[in-house]
Amino acid sequence: MTSYDDLDRRLTAWLDEEVAMHAPIGLLESATGRVARTRPLPGWATTERWISMETRALLGTVPRVLIVPATIGLLAALTAGTIVIGSAVTTGSSNGLIVYQHASGDLWTVEPDGSDPRPLVESDATLSAPAWSPDGRSVACWPTATGRRGSDLIVSDADGSDANGSDPIVVASDVGEITGWGLPDWSPDGTRLAFTAATSVTTEGDCSLKGSFCGSRVFVAASDGQTDAVQTGDPDLDARTAAWSPDGSTIAFGAGDAAGYIRLYAMDADGSNVRQVSDLQGVQWALLRIDWSPDGTSIVGTSGHPEWDIWIFPTDGGRESNVSAMDVETLLVDQLFPTYAPDGAIAWWRGGDGLCGCLTIREGAAEPVELTEGTWAPTWSPDGQFIVAQRQDSDGELIIIDRSGAVQATIDGVGDASFGASWQHLGR
């Protein structure tokens, strides 16, 4: 009869002496780091914790030459970022659900590949301009009831908890007309939401023009609903489209004379130190949408007159630069809705007389490239590899494309305010 009394000691000694010599350098640190960012696994500092007693007994009959490749193969699978455990698949992607306004007026979501469209938040009011929180656990949006002048800003759990009997949180009540881009902007820590809204209604003279924001101001609301929205910044300065800096210390916005020229401004998060970022001025659609670079060193927005171009504004006071100028003297070109990718690439809509009306992307210092015709209002996926955008020439349709412009999926049944689609970030 074979005795296994000392198998545990011999196997442990063998692993300590031999396996470490065959493992690629740095593989163990990479694998453990990956596991720490996904789901907890049992500690495996010693064989007693990652190989059961039953398995260790069976290993006594398995040639060592097979054990080593199997062990390293398991580590490599973990490091690669995909391993199936039961029915759950864990991957390295940070792309979650896409939320958008459905044609019904409710909020719907689809999977990152465009599959499984389903309702998230249902309401008698029309729900528009949804925005995921930075941690992907909540959605903010504007419900507007028929015949009601003001709107509420609400926050719902990512599982659409209101549909399960629990009401969303009202974080700002009876807000006037929403100005600028429309989507409420979450602070990086998820505790506050910034937006711009009219404090008075003016329709006289130039204030009736498209893109005007007379009487509009910046507001900040606590995302837990403990306090209502508070007006902040210069009380006498027309402002629209508030955007938080990546570190949460600053809020940027377009401001100035709403009936005339608009410039880029910024202020500290508490509303103090309001300052003009650039002398560059534009009209109407200028600075309608602005976005901070991932490293916080610049802001991208539309400006200029009579044409609208895409400009990068350094936040350190440096000179702004036009990144979209076309060497075409005979065409009137409009370039709108710019947004940064996580790696610093910029996407926007380009159109005008004789042009396609295309989704356009600029990577680094390269020339802009037209990707897909008839799409606008792009939103990057959290990993920066895909874009969701609205079909400009369609009746309620979103598309998901990759960075080459190839259409990955089409989403039908989308509402008029669908350019406010938002992409959920996982894993934060």
Side-chain angles (χ1 to χ4, degrees):
M1 179 175 178
T2 303
S3 173
Y4 293 100
D5 292 343
D6 64 342
L7 177 61
D8 185 45
R9 179 187 59 76
R10 289 188 288 111
L11 183 58
T12 300
W14 172 78
L15 285 170
D16 289 340
E17 294 174 3
E18 297 190 27
V19 174
M21 297 174 60
H22 292 78
I25 297 174
L27 181 60
L28 181 59
E29 291 80 0
S30 176
T32 53
R34 176 69 185 92
V35 171
R37 291 192 299 271
T38 53
R39 52 169 296 173
L41 293 176
W44 46 308
T46 63
T47 58
E48 288 81 4
R49 301 196 57 188
W50 64 282
I51 302 180
S52 66
M53 289 296 296
E54 292 83 1
T55 302
R56 294 203 306 272
L58 291 173
L59 288 176
T61 62
V62 178
R64 293 179 180 180
V65 68
L66 297 180
I67 298 175
V68 173
T71 303
I72 295 178
L74 175 61
L75 295 176
L78 289 170
T79 306
T82 302
I83 183 166
V84 179
I85 303 175
S87 61
V89 179
T90 301
T91 70
S93 175
S94 57
N95 299 335
L97 299 172
I98 300 169
V99 63
Y100 61 96
Q101 182 200 61
H102 189 262
S104 64
D106 299 328
L107 293 190
W108 281 47
T109 62
V110 294
E111 295 292 334
D113 60 1
S115 65
D116 192 21
R118 57 193 183 276
L120 174 70
V121 182
E122 298 174 289
S123 173
D124 294 334
T126 298
L127 306 176
S128 62
W132 285 108
S133 61
D135 62 7
R137 297 179 180 178
S138 303
V139 177
C141 69
W142 296 104
T144 304
T146 303
R148 181 181 173 187
R149 177 179 169 185
S151 299
D152 292 339
L153 177 59
I154 65 172
V155 172
S156 176
D157 288 344
D159 60 359
S161 60
D162 62 317
N164 297 328
S166 176
D167 292 334
I169 300 171
V170 176
V171 301
S173 57
D174 292 323
V175 178
E177 180 182 356
I178 307 305
T179 60
W181 187 236
L183 273 70
D185 197 57
W186 289 83
S187 62
D189 63 4
T191 62
R192 291 167 291 176
L193 291 137
F195 60 91
T196 55
T199 58
S200 61
V201 178
T202 304
T203 58
E204 299 178 357
D206 289 335
C207 275
S208 63
L209 294 174
K210 178 189 292 186
S212 70
F213 54 105
C214 295
S216 176
R217 301 292 184 268
V218 178
F219 292 83
V220 174
S223 61
D224 60 6
Q226 294 301 309
T227 59
D228 207 345
V230 176
Q231 182 179 323
T232 186
D234 188 337
D236 299 319
L237 185 63
D238 290 335
R240 71 172 178 196
T241 308
W244 291 92
S245 63
D247 63 3
S249 66
T250 307
I251 299 175
F253 53 95
D257 179 3
Y261 290 105
I262 306 163
R263 297 177 178 85
L264 183 63
Y265 280 73
M267 63 182 174
D268 294 348
D270 61 2
S272 64
N273 191 24
V274 177
R275 66 268 190 191
Q276 186 176 305
V277 176
S278 170
D279 290 330
L280 185 67
Q281 60 188 20
V283 297
Q284 296 181 343
W285 291 80
L287 302 175
L288 180 66
R289 184 189 197 184
I290 58 176
D291 194 19
W292 288 79
S293 63
D295 60 7
T297 61
S298 64
I299 298 169
V300 66
T302 294
S303 193
H305 179 70
E307 294 180 355
W308 290 298
D309 290 322
I310 306 301
W311 292 80
I312 292 179
F313 302 86
T315 55
D316 61 0
R319 185 175 179 80
E320 63 277 348
S321 59
N322 186 336
V323 298
S324 64
M326 295 181 65
D327 188 18
V328 182
E329 297 180 358
T330 60
L331 297 179
L332 182 64
V333 183
D334 296 332
Q335 316 211 54
L336 303 167
F337 317 132
T339 181
Y340 272 112
D343 66 355
I346 303 173
W348 69 87
W349 175 87
R350 168 189 283 174
D353 298 337
L355 297 179
C356 68
C358 292
L359 192 64
T360 303
I361 183 174
R362 181 180 189 266
E363 301 188 62
E367 290 295 316
V369 176
E370 293 177 343
L371 295 184
T372 305
E373 184 174 351
T375 56
W376 64 343
T379 296
W380 290 96
S381 62
D383 68 0
Q385 299 306 306
F386 302 94
I387 295 172
V388 60
Q390 184 181 14
R391 285 275 196 196
Q392 185 185 3
D393 55 356
S394 72
D395 182 17
E397 186 176 89
L398 294 174
I399 61 169
I400 299 173
I401 64 174
D402 62 21
R403 292 185 77 146
S404 71
V407 177
Q408 306 296 303
T410 299
I411 305 163
D412 298 319
V414 178
D416 293 337
S418 58
F419 65 88
S422 179
W423 211 316
Q424 181 188 32
H425 196 298
L426 299 179
R428 284 193 178 183

